């Protein structure tokens, strides 16, 4: 298939592009390289040294003989260019990762809230609009988030996207209706993925677009078989307080002797997936498209759930690291359970990579190898969800006073 990977220079986009290319697909990355600009804005860099996208694709060709093409397009702004690109290249499938994906970054300031909304919602809408306008009947696979559901548990498993509810009619009968599971976003970033859901629902219904939405959990790990082929194919690895995600952050902190930064009591339960399962899920979703006229196909792309403090304790046990329980900069439930269904991917043959498989130490090894690149002052998460919370988070577990960013 000819596949456009939008956001193919990012943390999940890059290993996905390599994986799809390795499987013989003709891969075209479309990216505005915004993630690299955000690194510059924040004054941080990936733990792993990353080459330019052109250099990465050159090495891929050198190592495998396969070509990945790169096109510099900003989906949120360059609507006419996107439309021309689609009309000319007519991909069979489009994988859409091209959104600002960090909750703390989206909550940093009013400017960051505006940026995240404008960028993410416009990118998705421009894409859908251009697909209809050009008549490109590609299967669209979008990377959404488990965070669209919120994380609360009422004692029932979160279904894959849809909920059947009983509604009482005027005559007193109960009729059954299928609705999108009610959204309950915990950040501006998560809210953009909720808005995306509605855009997808409309375009699938109105224009018959074939759309799959993947509600992904927190990704951990860094390597996939393809990124390991050459040092210059290495994936990016974020450890900073805005883009670093919880499990990868904890592992890096343990590797460099920084107290593990648990927010609050660490009673938050979240869904997780290893990066190599993430790319495999995208391949499975691409191989199983909905038909035109079908409702949006929604998968929960996660393999296990864990409580934050259990992860911290596990890593402390393995590595001997200290744990710091810090004021939580986020407005979120201090304790929650989480049960979610993921039967569809399992039925399609996904074999989950779990925490038990010894891959935690692989990440600690990566972290130790590149420890010299870590700026310890960028580890604390100082982006606060409200003005009141902002007053409580200006410190890190090493006792250094931190200047708030943004
Ligand atoms: N947390 C800590 N200490 C830290 C970092 C995080 O205790 O040093 C806590 C947070 O307060 C939160 C939980 O760990 O309760 C998860 O935080 P996270 O930064 O790992 O994940 P999140 O902000 O939810 O976002 C990440 C990705 C996002 C994706 C989402 C999936 O950045 O793109 O959509 O995970 S999900 O969490 O299922 O919504």
């Amino acid at each position: 298939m000819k596949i456009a990977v939008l956001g193919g220079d990012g943390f999940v986009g890059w290993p996905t592009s390599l994986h799809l290319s390795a499987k013989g697909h003709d891969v075209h990355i479309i990216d505005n390289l915004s993630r690299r600009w955000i690194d510059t804005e924040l004054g941080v860099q990936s733990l792993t040294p990353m080459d330019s996208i052109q250099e990465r694709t050159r090495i891929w060709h050198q190592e495998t003989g396969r070509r990945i093409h790169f096109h510099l397009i900003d989906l949120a702004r360059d609507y006419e260019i996107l439309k021309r690109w689609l009309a000319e290249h007519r991909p069979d499938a489009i994988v859409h990762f091209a959104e600002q994906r960090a909750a703390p970054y989206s909550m940093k300031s009013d400017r960051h809230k505006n940026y995240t909304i404008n960028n993410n919602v416009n990118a998705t809408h421009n894409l859908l609009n251009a697909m209809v306008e050009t008549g490109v009947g590609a299967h669209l696979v979008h990377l959404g988030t488990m965070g669209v559901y919120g994380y609360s548990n009422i004692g029932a498993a979160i279904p894959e996207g849809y909920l059947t509810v009983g509604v009482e009619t005027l005559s007193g009968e109960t009729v059954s209706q299928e609705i999108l599971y009610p959204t309950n976003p915990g950040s501006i970033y998560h809210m953009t993925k909720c808005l995306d859901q509605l855009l997808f629902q409309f375009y699938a219904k109105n224009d018959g677009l074939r759309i799959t939405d993947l509600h992904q959990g927190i990704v951990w790990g860094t390597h996939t078989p393809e990124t390991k082929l050459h040092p210059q194919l290495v994936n990016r690895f974020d450890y900073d307080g805005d883009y670093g995600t919880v499990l990868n952050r904890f592992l890096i902190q343990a590797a460099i002797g920084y107290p593990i930064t648990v927010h609050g009591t660490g009673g938050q339960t979240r869904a997780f997936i290893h990066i190599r399962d993430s790319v495999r899920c995208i391949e499975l979703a691409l191989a199983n498209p909905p038909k035109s006229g079908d409702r949006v196909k929604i998968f929960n792309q996660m393999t296990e759930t864990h409580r934050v403090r259990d992860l911290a304790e596990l890593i402390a046990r393995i590595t001997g690291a200290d744990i710091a329980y810090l004021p939580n900069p986020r407005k979120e439930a201090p304790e929650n359970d989480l049960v979610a269904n993921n039967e569809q991917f399992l039925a399609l043959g996904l074999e989950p990579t779990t925490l038990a498989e010894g891959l935690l130490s692989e990440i600690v090894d990566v972290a130790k190898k590149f420890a010299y690149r870590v700026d310890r002052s960028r580890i604390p998460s100082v982006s606060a969800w409200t003005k009141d919370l902002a007053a409580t988070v200006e410190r890190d577990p090493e006792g250094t006073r931190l200047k708030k960013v943004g």
Side-chain angles (χ1 to χ4, degrees), residues 96-357:
H96 175 25
F97 296 108
E99 295 181 271
Q100 191 299 97
R101 69 102 180 132
Y105 184 83
S106 77
M107 300 301 286
K108 237 173 170 35
S109 72
D110 53 349
R111 181 174 73 77
H112 294 91
K113 290 177 188 175
N114 277 346
Y115 168 75
T116 303
I117 294 279
N118 291 337
N119 182 71
N120 292 6
V121 179
N122 278 331
T124 299
H125 188 259
N126 281 348
L127 174 63
L128 294 164
N129 200 4
M131 285 173 70
V132 171
E133 210 47 37
T134 54
V136 168
H139 171 208
L140 173 60
V141 175
H142 171 253
L143 202 80
T145 175
M146 286 295 291
V148 298
Y149 304 120
Y151 312 100
S152 64
N153 182 20
I154 51 162
I158 294 179
E160 303 201 64
Y162 297 95
L163 188 67
T164 306
V165 293
V167 183
E168 196 175 316
T169 63
L170 292 175
S171 58
E173 291 162 56
T174 300
V175 294
S176 149
Q177 205 183 350
E178 195 166 58
I179 59 168
L180 278 172
Y181 193 91
T183 54
N184 186 12
S187 73
I188 290 288
Y189 152 72
H190 287 101
M191 186 164 63
T192 63
K193 300 280 181 170
C194 300
L195 298 171
D196 284 347
Q197 275 207 127
L198 292 177
L199 294 173
F200 295 142
Q201 189 183 40
F202 176 78
Y203 276 93
K205 181 184 68 174
N206 196 65
D207 300 286
L209 292 192
R210 295 181 299 139
I211 302 174
T212 298
D213 201 0
L214 306 174
H215 289 177
Q216 184 166 249
I218 300 169
V219 181
W220 64 285
T222 180
H223 295 315
T224 62
E226 291 84 16
T227 64
K228 280 208 258 193
L229 284 178
H230 188 281
Q232 284 178 273
L233 296 175
V234 73
N235 198 10
R236 68 171 301 130
F237 194 130
D238 300 304
Y239 68 89
D240 63 283
D242 288 305
Y243 275 87
T245 51
V246 65
L247 180 51
N248 277 359
R249 269 166 67 72
F250 286 1
L251 288 161
I252 288 188
Q253 292 163 359
I256 64 164
Y258 192 99
I260 295 175
T261 56
V262 173
H263 295 163
T265 61
Q268 309 92 317
T269 305
R270 295 290 182 273
F272 290 84
I273 184 166
H274 191 274
I275 184 82
R276 67 188 191 192
D277 289 351
S278 185
V279 303
R280 175 91 179 104
C281 284
I282 287 152
E283 184 192 355
L284 289 170
L286 284 166
N288 293 278
K291 293 193 294 297
S292 180
D294 285 357
R295 67 177 193 188
V296 176
K297 199 166 183 177
I298 299 177
F299 291 83
N300 290 344
Q301 186 162 311
M302 44 75 65
T303 54
E304 51 191 333
T305 60
H306 294 284
R307 206 172 280 276
V308 166
R309 67 167 165 266
D310 294 342
L311 294 176
E313 283 165 13
L314 171 71
I315 294 166
R317 235 183 0 261
I318 300 173
T319 62
D322 292 332
I323 301 177
Y325 291 89
L326 301 170
N328 192 347
R330 305 186 186 202
K331 193 164 182 170
E332 60 186 356
E335 303 271 334
N336 71 288
D337 292 320
L338 178 63
V339 184
N341 285 341
N342 65 344
E343 280 137 25
Q344 293 183 99
F345 273 131
L346 298 178
L348 291 175
L350 178 70
E351 288 166 15
T353 305
T354 60
L355 249 61
E357 289 184 37

